[in-house]
Amino acid sequence: MHQRPIIRVIIPAYNEQDSIGLVIDAIPSNVQEIIVASNNSTDGTVARARQHGATVVEESRPGYGYACLKGLAYVKALKEETDIIVFLDGDFSDYPEELEKLVHPILEENIDLVVGARDAALREKGSMTRPQIFGNWLATTLMRWFFNSKFTDLGPFRAIKYERLLELDMQDKTYGWTVEMQLKVLKKSMAYKEVPVRYRNRIGVSKVSGTLKGAIFAGVKILTWIFKYGFKK
């Protein structure tokens, strides 16, 4: 890895015109490139992202995983090198300035994946719904039973070595993206760590936890991945 690591940020975004500029502006200046993967946005997300200096790629197929994969495909096509990929959401619920907390264990401890754990003591009241809290607890409990995992959260704010991310061969197109990444890291015995991060109420309405359909679909996808890998030899 370079003395000054080359970090690229991928932000999946769907109709986040009111928040995307705030997210981009709060990302530390040591990041090489910020990539906003617009997931068929119909508002001003694309224009705002470009105004604030981000590279924009567009994915017409709806799905969190589709957007992440589109951003990753852009990075793969670059002729320049990449050391670390950071994922975070475009709704300003994460604190982008904490990016260095996530990257630090990769640089100093040779960790492969660092997940920002939305610690209850650091969460803004109401920032996670009861279904989200329960879903996280259930998923991470099952991961502990099946894989002796130490994960406590499926938080979207995460940093991973680029070469390790490619090894994972990510496939999920929708809500199972985060848990797929963590499960594959466990199965491949990669080094991982959680760091506590702050979390606040998002700007706008959540496309997942904000609707009953979204919450149920996300829960089913997450459990499907866990049981798939739990019984896979």
Side-chain angles (χ1 to χ4, degrees):
M1 193 173 290
H2 302 82
Q3 283 189 327
R4 185 177 183 274
I6 299 172
I7 304 169
R8 287 189 164 83
V9 176
I10 295 176
I11 307 172
Y14 170 61
N15 288 349
E16 308 287 7
Q17 66 175 9
D18 296 330
S19 57
I20 196 66
L22 295 170
V23 175
I24 293 168
D25 291 348
I27 292 173
S29 60
N30 61 337
V31 166
Q32 179 77 17
E33 186 175 18
I34 300 167
I35 302 144
V36 173
S38 173
N39 195 207
N40 205 26
S41 296
T42 56
D43 63 356
T45 297
V46 169
R48 293 275 175 89
R50 286 180 175 143
Q51 286 169 6
H52 287 262
T55 299
V56 176
V57 295
E58 299 191 55
E59 173 56 71
S60 60
R61 293 167 293 185
Y64 184 89
Y66 270 125
C68 292
L69 288 168
K70 190 73 171 186
L72 184 56
Y74 166 83
V75 176
K76 287 179 181 178
L78 291 173
K79 294 181 180 178
E80 301 138 15
E81 295 184 47
T82 302
D83 293 316
I84 298 171
I85 295 288
V86 174
F87 293 93
L88 76 156
D89 283 349
D91 57 15
F92 208 46
S93 54
D94 301 309
Y95 285 75
E97 59 269 30
E98 293 191 315
L99 178 146
E100 292 177 358
K101 286 177 60 176
L102 274 69
V103 170
H104 184 267
I106 295 177
L107 301 178
E108 300 300 326
E109 303 170 40
N110 200 29
I111 299 295
D112 297 313
L113 168 69
V114 181
V115 175
R118 296 166 290 186
D119 191 288
L122 302 177
R123 287 199 308 260
E124 192 173 277
K125 185 178 180 180
S127 58
M128 288 183 70
T129 64
R130 288 184 179 179
Q132 275 182 297
I133 294 169
F134 174 75
N136 261 314
W137 171 83
L138 179 60
T140 54
T141 298
L142 291 172
M143 288 162 72
R144 185 170 67 250
W145 289 351
F146 283 127
F147 307 104
N148 197 30
S149 162
K150 293 181 174 61
F151 285 121
T152 65
D153 194 12
L154 306 178
F157 196 10
R158 52 187 57 208
I160 184 169
K161 290 179 182 176
Y162 177 57
E163 60 183 29
R164 294 300 196 199
L165 178 58
L166 295 181
E167 287 179 38
L168 297 183
D169 187 28
M170 295 291 293
Q171 299 292 322
D172 194 88
K173 310 301 192 300
T174 55
Y175 304 127
W177 171 272
T178 55
V179 73
E180 179 195 359
M181 185 183 297
Q182 286 165 254
L183 288 169
K184 286 184 172 180
V185 162
L186 291 169
K187 292 288 281 188
K188 291 179 178 290
S189 299
M190 294 183 183
Y192 68 92
K193 185 174 185 175
E194 286 188 338
V195 296
V197 295
R198 294 175 291 167
Y199 197 67
R200 63 189 152 209
N201 285 286
R202 59 160 292 142
I203 294 175
V205 179
S206 172
K207 288 75 179 176
V208 181
S209 60
T211 67
L212 179 60
K213 179 182 177 181
I216 292 173
F217 187 42
V220 169
K221 284 298 300 257
I222 289 168
L223 293 176
T224 298
W225 273 107
I226 290 173
F227 284 109
K228 173 183 176 181
Y229 274 86
F231 294 104
K232 186 176 182 179
K233 294 183 180 181

